[in-house]
């Protein structure tokens, strides 16, 4: 290499700051995108539609990592489709979150020494609306911080006028089709929230309780039952045994005395009872247990409610007014006094249901409620996936979906709350029941009252894919953007939300499913795989990370962990690494702009390009094809990984470095490489934009002078491939990598220059000698050159003069010591593996560990011996 080639030309000016500061770029850039209407979709457009509706976050909420994760992926999908020429609509909005929001306002009132009953229903609901305006929607501002490219002009709320009309419409239709009914059933009751909750709003956990065995009846006409809820015996109306259980044949049909009460109850025969479990006899409390309720219906047993909505006992003098848990102890104590307790087990670990909102222990309770008859709706939802109209991704998640929709129980949709869509049923003075639709006038006159309950929050959010587009009106939005293309959501709400949207969408939209694809993600966890929780110290506010490292860094980290259906571990060090990546993109693009990267003029013909130019263009087009395939398969982790390695490794670490000698030399080759580098950066920034939109847009507009990448074109694979150039540069990479490894083994510093002779004649490496020398800090050999180490690699030979650069004797001594240690480790491992007695007794994992140690020792020996052979003699 000539002396002139080593000199760097003066840097031209650039519009880019020397360092990337996300805080200076992200906020103003997002506002510019919104002001220019880039995210607004046009229902009148001739472009093909692409629609995603956002899973509506609770109005009480704030952005957590789970939101940030899913929003990043939805935003990436939408941005790419917009760049591909689709009329892309990502529709935002919020859920009124009935129980959660009412709880918030009730907490406020409690601080004022009031309850909702002090205000009355109308004033309380007005107070909730005020709370919503003041505190609700914080998450929407945080979505802007993340860069969500949503159409803010179409923002919806589940309690707004249009969505409320949709709720009334579908309720009326379901009611008229006899798919909504009112019945007294056992429901899950929360004594804290004072409302029914659905099965999927109950969280089960192992609690330490007690199991007591109680003798009912006297003498030969007695039997023993076991229970973890002794207080419910006050509501027993039978004891059940299996009809074939010989132990109790003489009791079936008889009356026995119920302890602590003045009542007798029958012994009934029912096949539900497992004679092998416990004593084979079970107490039956139809008003406080779902299984007992069914037994009661089969045997026409009365249902006695023994506690009120607060979980306070209402029957049998000594226990009236006691909380259910106080009553449990009191009942057991009274039974002991009568000698009725046969056995006790404490603590007794068993699964107990808790309210997902407030964590209160749920109480099964007989109650008159409104229900959706889900049978035909659930069948339709299952059929739509089975016949391929809707795809679930990843496919192995389909089993969870089918397990739910194929075994779904009727859905309790009434909630004893004041905040929500009030059930549109009116009751008349003579027992009349009238369902009032959105265009109907409610009945008036003395004695007419509206049902006091509201609908389950999931009832309105189940309409979200079409109600947000204007249904039940036949709007242009509905025609253009329904069905939506993909629902991207966590696998944990298949039951809550996904199945309900499928049922309602198919029912309301004449069999047309609400989306073509259900793409299920996992849950975000900490770097050790533990679930993040506000009650644990591992919970992270993503805004803190955005402030520290930039939104792009958080987004890239989340996308990089997004394997379909799998949970996503994330730690701060990984966000730091992504910050380093965005900085690398900034700095390398700035360098490229300062050294002739341009998009001006046509791309030169391949015949004018160097092998390095043709190699990077070939790799570029391969990456475009890979990224497209990964997007279409929702493989976000793979596409992020492909982009990371292409940008950092191939563009910045190899192409830019290999091309530096060309740029510094100037002339026509530098012009060609500058145009190639500009092309590569243009396409690379386009590919990266959906995942990291801020830094890419700032760089791309500087590079190209274009308006914004948001409305830029998505790159296409041109089909250009050059396998010969790829093989040639692979040889260069092998030489550089091998010599770098040798330098490191010899303890040479990265910037330390070493005289070297390169024998490249007759190989594809010859044109790359200048670049190889620069990358490896290899000086010309000079008159006093002595080859003290020679490395044959890739058909070439690199001879190095290490005299004066390392202490050969000291290095040999150090390596000899390392070699002896490795050989000792190998001998010890071989001795253990050759000991038959040891192998017969040692656990498999111990043996595997020793085999691993042996393999590592053998690898170290080979490496050290190679290093010793390469050292200069003497």
């Amino acid at each position: 290499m000539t002396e002139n080639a080593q000199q760097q030309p003066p840097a031209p000016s650039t519009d880019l700051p020397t360092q990337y500061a996300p805080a200076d770029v992200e906020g103003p850039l997002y506002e510019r995108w919104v002001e220019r209407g880039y995210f607004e979709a046009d229902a009148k457009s001739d472009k093909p539609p692409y629609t995603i509706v956002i899973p509506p976050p609770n109005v009480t909420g704030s952005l957590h990592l789970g939101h940030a994760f899913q929003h990043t992926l939805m935003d990436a999908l939408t941005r790419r489709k917009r760049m591909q020429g689709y009329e892309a609509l990502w529709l935002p909005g919020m859920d009124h979150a009935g129980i959660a929001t009412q709880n918030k306002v009730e907490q406020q009132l409690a601080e004022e020494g009031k309850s909702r009953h002090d205000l009355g229903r109308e004033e309380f609901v007005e107070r909730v609306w005020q709370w919503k305006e003041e505190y609700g929607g914080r998450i929407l501002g945080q979505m802007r911080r993340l860069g969500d490219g949503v159409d803010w002009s179409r923002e919806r709320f589940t309690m707004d006028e249009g969505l409320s009309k949709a709720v009334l419409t579908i309720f009326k239709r379901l009611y008229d089709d006899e798919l909504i009914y009112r019945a007294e059933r056992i429901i899950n009751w929360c004594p804290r929230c004072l409302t029914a909750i659905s099965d999927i709003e109950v969280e089960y956990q192992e609690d330490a309780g007690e199991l007591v065995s109680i003798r009912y009846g006297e003498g030969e006409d007695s039997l023993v039952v076991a229970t973890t809820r002794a207080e419910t015996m006050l509501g027993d109306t039978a004891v059940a045994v299996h009809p074939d259980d010989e132990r109790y044949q003489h009791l079936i049909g008889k009356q026995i005395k119920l302890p602590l009460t003045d009542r007798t109850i029958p012994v009934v025969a029912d096949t539900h009872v497992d004679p092998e479990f416990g004593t084979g006899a079970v107490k039956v409390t139809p008003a406080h247990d779902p299984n007992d309720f069914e037994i009661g219906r089969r045997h026409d047993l009365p249902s006695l409610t023994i506690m009120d909505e607060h979980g306070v006992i209402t029957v049998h003098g000594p226990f009236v007014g006691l909380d259910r848990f106080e009553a449990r102890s009191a009942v057991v104590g009274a039974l002991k006094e009568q000698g009725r307790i046969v056995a006790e087990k404490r603590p007794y670990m068993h699964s107990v249901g808790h309210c997902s909102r407030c964590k209160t222990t749920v109480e099964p309770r007989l109650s008159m409620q409104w229900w959706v008859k889900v049978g035909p709706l659930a069948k339709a939802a299952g059929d739509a996936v089975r016949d391929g109209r809707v795809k679930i991704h990843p496919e192995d998640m389909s089993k969870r979906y089918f397990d739910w929709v194929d075994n779904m129980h009727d859905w309790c949709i009434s909630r004893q709350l004041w905040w929500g869509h009030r059930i549109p049923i009116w009751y008349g003075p003579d027992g009349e029941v009238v369902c009032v639709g959105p265009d109907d006038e409610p009945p008036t006159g003395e004695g007419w009252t509206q049902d006091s309950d509201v609908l389950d929050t999931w009832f309105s959010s189940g309409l979200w894919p079409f109600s947000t587009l204007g249904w039940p009106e036949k709007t242009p939005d509905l025609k253009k953007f329904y069905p939506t293309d993909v629902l991207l959501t966590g696998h944990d709400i298949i039951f809550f939300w996904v199945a309900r949207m499928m049922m309602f969408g198919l029912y309301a939209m004449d069999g047309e499913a609400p989306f073509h694809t259900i793409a299920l993600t996992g849950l975000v966890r900490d770097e050790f795989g533990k679930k993040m929780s506000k009650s644990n110290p591992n919970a992270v506010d993503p805004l803190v990370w955005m402030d520290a490292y930039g939104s792009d860094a958080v987004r890239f980290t989340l996308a990089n962990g997004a394997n379909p259906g799998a949970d996503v571990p994330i730690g701060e060090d990984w966000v730091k690494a992504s910050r380093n990546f965005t900085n690398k993109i900034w700095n390398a693009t700035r360098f490229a702009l300062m050294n002739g990267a341009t998009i001006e003029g046509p791309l030169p013909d391949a015949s004018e390009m160097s092998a390095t130019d043709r190699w990077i263009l070939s790799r570029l087009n391969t990456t475009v094809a890979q990224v497209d395939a990964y997007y279409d398969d929702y493989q976000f982790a793979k596409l992020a990984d492909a982009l990371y390695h292409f940008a950092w490794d191939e563009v910045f670490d190899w192409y830019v470095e290999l091309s530096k000698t060309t740029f510094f030399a100037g002339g026509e080759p530098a012009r060609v490489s500058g145009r190639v580098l500009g092309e590569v950066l243009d396409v690379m920034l386009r590919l990266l934009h959906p995942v990291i939109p801020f830094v890419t847009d700032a760089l791309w507009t500087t590079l190209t002078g274009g308006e914004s990448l948001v409305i830029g074109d998505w790159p296409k694979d041109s089909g250009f491939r050059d396998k010969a150039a790829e093989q040639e540069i692979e040889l260069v990479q092998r030489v550089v990598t091998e010599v770098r490894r040798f330098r490191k083994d010899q303890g040479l510093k990265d910037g330390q220059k070493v005289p070297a002779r390169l024998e490249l004649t007759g190989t594809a490496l010859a044109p790359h000698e200048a670049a190889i020398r620069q990358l490896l800090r290899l000086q010309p050999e000079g008159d006093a050159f002595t080859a003290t180490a020679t490395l044959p690699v890739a058909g070439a030979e690199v001879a190095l003069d290490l005299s004066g650069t390392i202490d050969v004797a000291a290095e040999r001594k150090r390596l000899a010591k390392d070699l002896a240690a490795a050989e000792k480790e190998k001998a010890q491992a071989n001795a253990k593996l050759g000991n038959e007695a040891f192998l017969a007794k040692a656990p498999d994992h111990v043996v595997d560990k020793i085999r691993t140690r042996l393999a590592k020792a053998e690898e170290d020996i080979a490496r050290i011996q190679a290093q010793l052979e390469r050292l200069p003699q003497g």
Side-chain angles (χ1 to χ4, degrees):
M1 180 181 295
T2 64
E3 181 103 357
N4 290 336
Q6 296 277 359
Q7 296 175 352
Q8 299 189 12
S13 62
T14 173
D15 293 334
L16 292 174
T18 55
Q19 291 184 323
Y20 178 50
D24 295 339
V25 172
E26 294 177 348
L29 189 53
Y30 187 84
E31 293 309 313
R32 193 179 315 144
W33 293 337
V34 174
E35 288 168 7
R36 294 180 179 178
Y38 293 157
F39 305 139
E40 294 180 13
D42 183 2
K44 298 178 182 178
S45 167
D46 293 333
K47 297 178 182 178
Y50 183 81
T51 317
I52 295 181
V53 289
I54 210 164
N58 289 352
V59 70
T60 59
S62 58
L63 191 74
H64 56 66
L65 275 174
H67 287 125
F69 170 54
Q70 292 179 1
H71 286 208
T72 293
L73 306 188
M74 286 185 279
D75 194 33
L77 291 172
T78 309
R79 285 177 181 270
R80 172 175 175 257
K81 286 296 183 179
R82 188 179 291 115
M83 294 174 74
Q84 286 182 316
Y86 286 79
E87 196 61 43
L89 169 61
W90 186 21
L91 195 148
M94 294 181 295
D95 194 301
H96 66 278
I99 296 177
T101 307
Q102 179 157 322
N103 281 347
K104 289 282 187 181
V105 179
E106 289 197 75
Q107 289 168 13
Q108 270 192 346
L109 289 173
E111 292 172 3
E112 301 170 14
K114 299 178 182 177
S115 74
R116 60 176 162 136
H117 300 285
D118 295 323
L119 272 64
R121 183 169 193 143
E122 188 173 335
E123 189 177 343
F124 176 78
V125 170
E126 179 60 33
R127 179 74 176 258
V128 181
W129 276 107
Q130 292 172 8
W131 187 94
K132 184 258 181 188
E133 294 304 317
E134 185 174 354
Y135 296 101
R138 287 173 297 174
I139 197 168
L140 299 180
Q142 294 163 346
M143 286 164 57
R144 301 170 89 94
R145 282 288 313 277
L146 189 64
D148 284 5
V150 296
D151 186 346
W152 292 111
S153 71
R154 285 177 166 84
E155 181 189 335
R156 303 304 300 269
F157 179 53
T158 49
M159 289 280 285
D160 69 29
E161 184 178 351
L163 269 64
S164 295
K165 181 177 182 179
V167 168
L168 294 177
T169 300
I170 201 160
F171 188 99
K172 171 73 170 171
R173 291 188 186 180
L174 289 164
Y175 182 84
D176 290 346
D177 287 344
E178 298 183 351
L179 293 173
I180 283 182
Y181 64 94
R182 192 173 186 233
E184 193 174 43
R185 300 269 184 86
I186 292 286
I187 48 89
N188 303 298
W189 181 263
C190 176
R192 161 62 185 80
C193 298
L194 297 181
T195 182
I197 59 176
S198 65
D199 290 344
I200 52 180
E201 292 171 301
V202 178
E203 294 178 349
Y204 287 90
Q205 65 184 47
E206 290 293 310
D207 285 0
E210 62 177 345
L211 181 68
V212 294
S213 298
I214 310 167
R215 182 174 300 281
Y216 285 20
E218 304 294 342
E220 293 184 358
D221 290 345
S222 69
L223 39 67
V224 175
V225 300
T227 181
T228 58
R229 300 163 68 216
E231 72 282 4
T232 63
M233 66 157 293
L234 301 174
D236 285 359
T237 56
V239 173
V241 298
H242 194 276
D244 299 330
D245 193 332
E246 294 182 0
R247 293 172 294 177
Y248 304 117
Q249 291 295 312
H250 68 292
L251 288 177
I252 295 174
K254 285 188 177 182
Q255 296 280 328
I256 61 172
K257 180 72 182 298
L258 179 65
L260 304 184
T261 72
D262 296 325
R263 294 189 291 117
T264 60
I265 57 176
V267 177
V268 299
D270 196 284
T271 55
H272 170 75
V273 179
D274 180 2
E276 302 299 322
F277 184 77
T279 64
V282 298
K283 57 191 289 299
V284 181
T285 321
H288 293 278
D289 183 274
N291 293 323
D292 293 2
F293 177 76
E294 296 301 328
I295 293 175
R297 290 214 299 185
R298 287 194 289 272
H299 297 278
D300 199 24
L301 299 173
S303 296
L304 301 181
T305 300
I306 65 161
M307 63 182 78
D308 65 15
E309 68 259 27
H310 297 281
V312 173
I313 301 300
T314 58
V315 300
H316 201 68
F319 309 109
V320 170
L322 294 180
D323 171 82
R324 53 186 168 152
F325 300 117
E326 295 173 334
R328 183 171 300 170
S329 297
V331 166
V332 171
L335 290 168
K336 283 182 178 178
E337 289 180 4
Q338 293 188 4
R340 293 285 178 176
I341 299 296
V342 176
E344 290 182 87
K345 185 175 182 180
R346 187 187 299 114
Y348 178 72
M349 302 303 297
H350 62 134
S351 182
V352 178
H354 295 261
C355 173
S356 62
R357 302 292 181 184
C358 68
K359 311 309 177 187
T360 300
T361 300
V362 167
E363 189 66 39
R365 186 168 187 258
L366 186 64
S367 180
M368 183 68 76
Q369 301 285 346
W370 286 95
W371 305 80
V372 171
K373 184 178 180 181
V374 299
L377 302 174
K379 182 181 184 303
D383 290 345
V385 175
R386 286 190 169 93
D387 64 25
R389 280 175 288 159
V390 178
K391 304 287 186 185
I392 291 181
H393 187 87
E395 191 175 353
D396 58 11
M397 285 282 178
S398 298
K399 183 180 184 302
R400 296 186 66 180
Y401 176 80
F402 291 132
D403 284 347
W404 181 252
V405 297
D406 292 348
N407 300 286
M408 195 182 297
H409 300 296
D410 283 2
W411 172 20
C412 177
I413 56 171
S414 46
R415 298 291 181 267
Q416 289 64 55
L417 304 170
W418 287 355
W419 172 245
H421 296 101
R422 194 163 175 181
I423 290 178
I425 294 291
W426 292 74
Y427 305 106
D430 298 317
E432 302 96 332
V433 178
V434 176
C435 181
V436 177
D439 301 319
D440 301 332
E441 289 293 330
T444 57
E446 187 176 349
W448 283 94
T449 58
Q450 186 177 359
D451 195 298
S452 60
D453 290 350
V454 300
L455 288 163
D456 179 9
T457 296
W458 297 103
F459 190 95
S460 52
S461 59
L463 313 180
W464 190 253
F466 51 94
S467 63
T468 52
L469 297 173
W471 186 91
E473 307 302 325
K474 295 181 178 179
T475 63
D477 275 3
L478 194 63
K479 182 178 180 181
K480 177 76 173 179
F481 297 113
Y482 187 91
T484 67
D485 286 86
V486 60
L487 170 71
L488 190 144
T489 191
H491 61 64
D492 56 322
I493 59 171
I494 290 177
F495 325 122
F496 287 96
W497 192 45
V498 178
R500 279 143 173 62
M501 285 190 291
M502 285 287 284
M503 292 192 302
F504 281 166
L506 290 160
Y507 173 79
M509 300 300 293
D510 300 321
E512 195 167 22
F515 15 76
H516 299 305
T517 301
I518 301 168
L520 296 170
T521 69
L523 308 179
V524 176
R525 297 183 178 273
D526 71 13
E527 58 193 304
F528 305 107
K530 294 181 180 178
K531 183 178 180 181
M532 287 190 177
S533 169
K534 290 181 180 178
S535 59
N536 292 333
N538 66 350
V540 175
D541 180 353
L543 294 176
V544 173
W545 282 353
M546 286 185 222
D547 289 340
Y549 309 113
S551 297
D552 282 335
V554 174
R555 290 172 61 115
F556 192 81
T557 306
L558 291 165
N560 205 28
N563 291 298
D567 288 348
V568 183
I570 184 172
E572 188 169 5
D573 286 345
W574 304 344
V575 183
K576 289 179 182 177
S578 295
R579 185 269 317 273
N580 295 343
F581 180 49
T582 60
N583 287 345
K584 180 76 169 181
I585 296 170
W586 183 273
N587 295 334
T589 302
R590 186 173 181 275
F591 169 85
L593 288 169
M594 294 169 65
N595 288 277
T598 180
I599 64 162
E600 293 181 7
L603 196 64
D605 188 76
S607 61
E608 302 177 57
M609 299 178 190
S610 67
T612 308
D613 295 332
R614 298 194 306 277
W615 164 74
I616 196 62
L617 288 176
S618 183
R619 293 297 308 136
L620 175 68
N621 281 286
T622 297
T623 302
V624 171
Q626 284 179 333
V627 169
D628 274 332
Y630 290 144
Y631 263 116
D632 292 341
D633 199 33
Y634 304 98
Q635 297 278 0
F636 295 99
K638 289 183 178 179
L639 72 89
D641 187 67
L643 288 169
Y644 177 90
H645 288 293
F646 175 73
W648 193 308
D649 298 345
E650 297 185 303
V651 178
F652 301 141
D653 279 1
W654 285 108
Y655 180 71
V656 170
E657 293 300 321
L658 286 170
S659 300
K660 278 183 178 178
T661 54
T662 302
F663 288 133
F664 299 159
E668 183 62 13
R671 185 196 70 79
V672 171
S673 290
R675 180 64 186 88
V676 169
L677 180 53
E679 183 76 12
V680 170
L681 291 175
D682 178 14
V683 174
M684 183 194 76
L685 292 171
R686 292 172 192 265
L687 290 173
L688 283 164
H689 175 74
V691 178
I692 48 174
F694 293 109
V695 68
T696 52
D697 199 41
L699 291 172
W700 184 84
T701 52
T702 302
L703 170 69
T704 67
E707 183 179 343
S708 174
L709 257 182
V710 179
I711 54 172
D713 293 331
W714 181 254
K716 295 180 180 178
D717 176 7
S718 72
F720 178 82
R721 301 289 191 280
D722 192 325
K723 290 299 179 186
E726 291 195 32
Q727 291 170 359
E728 186 171 322
I729 300 305
E730 284 173 9
L731 292 177
V732 175
Q733 291 172 326
R734 282 178 57 193
V735 170
V736 172
T737 301
E738 187 65 26
V739 176
R740 279 177 173 167
R741 184 181 295 118
F742 176 75
R743 286 176 58 105
K744 184 177 181 181
D745 288 344
Q746 304 310 312
L748 296 177
K749 296 178 181 179
D750 290 343
Q752 190 171 352
K753 294 180 179 179
V754 178
R757 180 176 65 242
L758 274 61
E759 297 292 348
L760 308 178
T761 307
T763 72
L765 296 166
H768 304 283
E769 179 172 350
I772 292 171
R773 283 186 176 275
Q774 177 158 315
L775 287 168
L776 292 171
R777 305 294 190 269
L778 302 180
Q779 294 177 316
E781 51 193 285
D783 295 336
F785 178 82
T786 301
T788 58
T790 302
L791 282 73
V793 57
E797 190 173 271
V798 179
L800 304 175
D801 183 353
L802 300 180
S803 57
T805 61
I806 60 172
D807 184 335
V808 175
E811 185 65 12
R812 281 190 175 279
K813 186 176 180 181
R814 182 185 70 80
L815 289 173
K817 182 178 179 181
D818 290 347
L819 181 61
E823 288 175 335
K824 181 179 179 182
E825 175 75 1
K826 176 183 176 180
Q828 290 175 341
N830 272 327
K832 286 189 176 182
L833 293 174
N835 185 333
E836 295 295 335
F838 169 78
L839 292 177
K841 295 179 181 179
D844 289 345
H845 73 275
V846 173
V847 176
D848 288 341
K849 188 174 181 179
I850 294 171
R851 287 185 178 133
T852 301
R853 283 171 49 196
L854 175 61
K856 175 68 166 55
E858 289 175 338
E859 182 182 313
D860 288 343
I861 291 168
R863 175 179 55 80
I864 296 167
Q865 286 175 338
Q867 289 176 242
L868 284 166
E869 290 173 5
R870 289 172 177 168
L871 279 175
Q873 299 298 315

